[in-house]
Amino acid sequence: MTSDFLVFEQTGWEVLLGYPRMLAQDMHATKKSLLEAFTSYYSLPPVQRSDSSWFFETQSGEMNHLGFEVNDVASIAVLYYWVVNANAYKICFWILVHMVYHLDLLTAVRAETAPACNPDGTFDMDQLLSNCSRLDAIWDEVLRVYNNVVVVHKVMSPIVLGGKNLHPGDTVLSPFRQFHLDRNVYGEDILNFRHDRFLKGKLTAGAKNFRSFGGRHTHCPGRFLARREVYVLVALDINRFEIQLDSSDGPQAFPIPDQKKPNLGAMAPTDGYDLVVNVTPK
């Protein structure tokens, strides 16, 4: 299942565009495999899946109560599984990449997150969320630069939009990244990553031009969990380990985000831009 998910995660954008099976065989094959796996799982007696997360158990329980078939429950679970597992690690990647290329930034974030990392391996979530302004600013700037959210709409009635006639059943893709590249809001250096852009007194991530998790009724409900899991991973990584770029084969090129594929969130690095880093326990 893990290998199928990794393939689906790379080809899932084809779902958004409704690619037929003949043009997207890998996507359809791995989607089928994931659906079968989740259908088998939800067909088990509850006692055999008692270790399931609260979220998935609640979601399946509510759908069962409403009379949905097991394959419908599995389909929704696959969608959540995809979104939850396909975005956070990319955000972590971009945050850590900028830190290892700018060690002064790494030092600053390590200093402000250190009080949240306890010697026994636990962490103080309130400290991370309330007293780490530098990490907050980096999180927001990474979402601005590297998030490529596309909201999918179904046309319900005939409408003319931008001179185009849209009909019921048509699909409209609405990219949000253009909001994040507005020079009137973010300045002339919109394509550059600036770790201090969102520091207090400069910009606010609550502005209407900041749509890192969609908006209105499509506002991603997982945005709170995503922020928490990213903050914890980054804080524990940089406080438990020394992380440096490997230079044994010379300088490494900075990764370039893959902007060619539509997606439901963060952009992955373009193929061929894997980084080699040296990680040692502190």
Side-chain angles (χ1 to χ4, degrees):
M1 179 174 166
T2 301
S3 58
D4 285 338
F5 175 76
L6 292 175
V7 174
F8 182 73
E9 203 275 318
Q10 294 294 321
T11 59
W13 60 272
E14 296 166 347
V15 174
L16 302 177
L17 301 184
Y19 272 38
R21 186 176 301 274
M22 62 179 295
L23 298 178
Q25 296 184 19
D26 287 343
M27 181 273 288
H28 282 281
T30 52
K31 183 180 74 170
K32 180 175 181 290
S33 176
L34 292 171
L35 284 171
E36 289 174 347
F38 273 88
T39 300
S40 297
Y41 178 74
Y42 282 114
S43 297
L44 294 172
V47 68
Q48 294 187 31
R49 44 186 174 87
S50 59
D51 59 347
S52 177
S53 72
W54 172 88
F55 176 83
F56 281 95
E57 276 304 295
T58 302
Q59 168 257 327
S60 62
E62 290 295 322
M63 293 187 71
N64 289 331
H65 179 72
L66 294 171
F68 284 89
E69 299 292 335
V70 65
N71 58 310
D72 297 319
V73 176
S75 297
I76 294 298
V78 168
L79 176 61
Y80 287 138
Y81 186 80
W82 177 25
V83 174
V84 167
N85 288 286
N87 282 302
Y89 80 90
K90 298 172 187 172
I91 298 298
C92 290
F93 171 82
W94 292 115
I95 290 176
L96 291 171
V97 162
H98 281 282
M99 288 186 184
V100 297
Y101 272 90
H102 302 91
L103 295 181
D104 56 336
L105 185 59
L106 174 60
T107 300
V109 177
R110 178 179 283 155
E112 73 173 6
T113 57
C117 300
N118 302 318
D120 61 358
T122 61
F123 52 87
D124 185 338
M125 182 61 76
D126 290 336
Q127 173 73 17
L128 282 177
L129 297 178
S130 304
N131 298 297
C132 297
S133 58
R134 182 74 62 178
L135 182 57
D136 289 338
I138 296 171
W139 158 264
D140 289 330
E141 180 70 347
V142 163
L143 291 177
R144 186 192 72 83
V145 175
Y146 298 108
N147 226 18
N148 196 19
V149 175
V150 175
V151 177
V152 182
H153 301 276
K154 280 289 184 182
V155 178
M156 305 302 294
S157 59
I159 186 174
V160 177
L161 186 65
K164 303 291 185 181
N165 291 310
L166 303 179
H167 308 283
D170 288 348
T171 299
V172 178
L173 301 182
S174 302
F176 276 86
R177 192 162 186 256
Q178 283 81 349
F179 287 114
H180 299 166
L181 302 180
D182 187 341
R183 286 183 169 84
N184 294 322
V185 176
Y186 300 106
E188 292 299 319
D189 58 346
I190 52 172
L191 297 179
N192 297 329
F193 178 91
R194 262 187 35 213
H195 64 83
D196 62 346
R197 194 185 302 270
F198 284 91
L199 283 177
K200 292 179 180 178
K202 295 189 177 183
L203 278 173
T204 171
K208 65 179 181 179
N209 291 76
F210 192 72
R211 291 289 183 267
S212 56
F213 287 95
R216 301 186 68 182
H217 64 280
T218 61
H219 208 180
C220 177
R223 61 192 184 277
F224 305 106
L225 173 61
R227 182 181 174 217
R228 283 161 172 76
E229 62 180 335
V230 169
Y231 276 33
V232 168
L233 186 142
V234 170
L236 293 181
D237 272 0
I238 64 177
N239 282 283
R240 290 181 179 179
F241 303 98
E242 294 291 351
I243 307 173
Q244 291 184 322
L245 283 172
D246 184 272
S247 58
S248 57
D249 293 326
Q252 298 186 65
F254 193 91
I256 298 175
D258 185 353
Q259 302 183 46
K260 296 180 181 179
K261 299 175 183 176
N263 57 67
L264 297 178
M267 292 182 284
T270 301
D271 291 343
Y273 279 89
D274 290 340
L275 292 179
V276 179
V277 297
N278 298 320
V279 180
T280 55
K282 294 183 65 177

